[in-house]
Amino acid sequence: MNRLNADAVSKAHAANFGFEPIGSVFAPGRVNLIGDHTDYNDGYVFPVALEIGTFIAYSRNTSGRVRARSMNMEAQLERDVMAPAFGDWLDYVIGALQALSLNTGVTLPSGLDLTIGSTVPTGASVSSSAALQVATLRAAVEAFGLDISPETLAQVAQNSENNYVGVNCGLMDQMASSTGKPGWALFFDTMTLETTLEPLPTTHSFVTLHSGLSRQLTSGAYNERRTQCETAAAQLGVPSLRTATLDQVDALTGKTRARARHVVTENARVLKARNALTAGDLDGFGALMTESHWSLSRDFETSTREVDALVESCLSRSAQGARITGAGFGGCIVALVKAGEEAALVDSLRLAHPTAWHVATSTGLPDPTKDQRG
Ligand code: GLA
């Protein structure tokens, strides 16, 4: 599906529905460089929008229904905009449109015909669902001429994921998809909702690699982690783990203590990593990534033996840092290497990790000052 682009999706729309689309939109997937399982604790995250993402060609229709063709699934589904969740891929589309009405008070004047094509692997911790929901919202915004900010769109997409799809996620993925840009790391304070784009270095690359093991975000383990963090905060008498200190966390016991320790140390690592990136200290950044991995593996228990082994293999080759990214429980890792060493790293893993594959490479733009935000 890597040859998918706006043109291919528009052509498929015309072939499938018998008329040209009004337009097409794109929303990217993301890789998180550092700061995992912090967003639902009011903490800090540092993701990067990827070049891969979801394309949607769209037209208005005269019914109150959504007709959607998935190029990836080679399937078409049709449902009322107000229909309840069915447990299939169209839920992400319908959920986003319902949340748009609920969150912004906008009444959609008609239904939509959509042709969807995605280059983001699903169940891989690179935000295929946020990309689909943000792309759906962008299509609705364009199709109906709505005036809604990218930040609000991110919140609408999160609302859909939380209340319609049923994953109690934070706001990182949707914010990265809606306001992030390839070549820039998005520093996002999930408490104040402040975002800043920091240019990635051109001297190094962040290589996203799939372990070959997909995960199930709805499987309950993610929601269980969130509940454990909320329990820790309640036991400490703080509104969220954002304000907890390590000394306080030491008074907790068992899993509650380990989960809270990850969140508190991870927030501190994100702040240090941002400073390291802006200071050009990539060795420092890499070391923080690796520390983050072991915190996620040992304290938060969201890694797997295979993912740990893949991280170790990257570190024993040319990577200056490596870590599991996103929700975890399988999925992708991200490794930091010097520019020019990306392909050699991927090649060197083939024998020991036959199921692993290269998903994306993120690096700085040649002249980021020319690339204004927007
Ligand atoms: C998933 C969620 C995010 C975030 C990450 C872990 O991607 O959607 O909100 O919690 O896991 O950092």
Side-chain angles (χ1 to χ4, degrees):
M1 278 285 162
N2 272 325
R3 268 169 293 132
L4 256 178
N5 54 29
D7 196 39
V9 176
S10 296
K11 283 196 178 121
H13 191 88
N16 189 56
F17 291 110
F19 44 81
E20 297 291 327
I22 308 175
S24 68
V25 292
F26 172 78
R30 65 99 190 95
V31 62
N32 191 24
L33 304 184
I34 194 159
D36 272 309
H37 295 278
T38 46
D39 65 348
Y40 52 82
N41 290 296
D42 283 347
Y44 307 105
V45 295
F46 211 21
V48 175
L50 297 171
E51 305 272 356
I52 54 175
T54 300
F55 296 90
I56 300 185
Y58 61 88
S59 317
R60 292 185 293 260
N61 62 34
T62 49
S63 70
R65 296 174 75 77
V66 173
R67 290 195 298 172
R69 170 95 200 155
S70 163
M71 293 173 72
N72 300 74
M73 312 287 282
E74 295 181 358
Q76 184 163 323
L77 293 173
E78 179 174 344
R79 204 164 289 157
D80 193 275
V81 178
M82 294 318 291
F86 269 60
D88 58 22
W89 56 270
L90 194 61
D91 283 356
Y92 295 93
V93 173
I94 300 283
L97 296 175
Q98 283 187 21
L100 183 62
S101 297
L102 285 172
N103 279 41
T104 67
V106 167
T107 309
L108 298 182
S110 74
L112 288 167
D113 293 338
L114 307 170
T115 301
I116 304 169
S118 180
T119 51
V120 191
T122 56
S125 294
V126 279
S127 293
S128 60
S129 62
L132 175 53
Q133 290 174 88
V134 171
T136 299
L137 293 169
R138 284 186 174 160
V141 161
E142 285 195 12
F144 302 122
L146 307 175
D147 181 18
I148 302 175
S149 71
E151 288 77 10
T152 301
L153 279 197
Q155 286 171 316
V156 170
Q158 182 201 22
N159 191 319
S160 161
E161 186 84 48
N162 289 171
N163 301 318
Y164 195 86
V165 177
V167 179
N168 219 357
C169 64
L171 187 53
M172 167 170 69
D173 304 349
Q174 298 78 6
M175 197 63 119
S177 184
S178 190
T179 72
K181 293 198 307 182
W184 299 76
L186 181 80
F187 177 80
F188 175 31
D189 179 339
T190 65
M191 189 160 80
T192 63
L193 302 188
E194 177 211 352
T195 57
T196 317
L197 287 167
E198 305 284 7
L200 291 182
T202 50
T203 52
H204 291 71
S205 292
F206 292 95
V207 181
T208 303
L209 296 163
H210 198 309
S211 62
L213 306 161
S214 58
R215 58 149 183 83
Q216 278 297 321
L217 191 49
T218 39
S219 65
Y222 179 91
N223 290 349
E224 181 198 61
R225 293 298 183 285
R226 182 169 181 155
T227 305
Q228 289 168 330
C229 291
E230 285 163 1
T231 303
Q235 286 180 9
L236 294 175
V238 291
S240 70
L241 288 177
R242 161 69 169 264
T243 51
T245 64
L246 263 189
D247 282 348
Q248 286 177 306
V249 165
D250 274 343
L252 299 169
T253 53
K255 298 258 184 239
T256 314
R257 177 167 67 174
R259 305 299 189 240
R261 186 166 52 211
H262 164 72
V263 174
V264 171
T265 57
E266 185 81 345
N267 274 328
R269 278 188 291 270
V270 180
L271 295 178
K272 284 191 205 158
R274 182 198 194 180
N275 287 338
L277 189 79
T278 53
D281 174 14
L282 276 307
D283 282 342
F285 197 99
L288 290 160
M289 289 173 72
T290 306
E291 261 180 47
S292 165
H293 177 76
W294 294 117
S295 175
L296 283 160
S297 178
R298 291 174 187 144
D299 278 347
F300 220 69
E301 294 180 281
T302 49
S303 187
T304 65
R305 205 177 313 148
E306 294 84 351
V307 171
D308 285 352
L310 184 58
V311 163
E312 280 175 324
S313 290
C314 289
L315 293 171
S316 70
R317 291 163 171 85
S318 52
Q320 287 167 263
R323 64 188 290 281
I324 191 166
T325 187
F329 312 105
C332 286
I333 69 155
V334 56
L336 174 64
V337 292
K338 289 207 177 93
E341 290 181 3
E342 303 87 348
L345 174 72
V346 176
D347 284 348
S348 72
L349 296 166
R350 288 232 161 88
L351 213 54
H353 302 276
T355 61
W357 54 279
H358 172 251
V359 174
T361 295
S362 306
T363 193
L365 305 168
D367 186 358
T369 52
K370 279 199 190 148
D371 182 46
Q372 297 300 319
R373 183 175 182 182

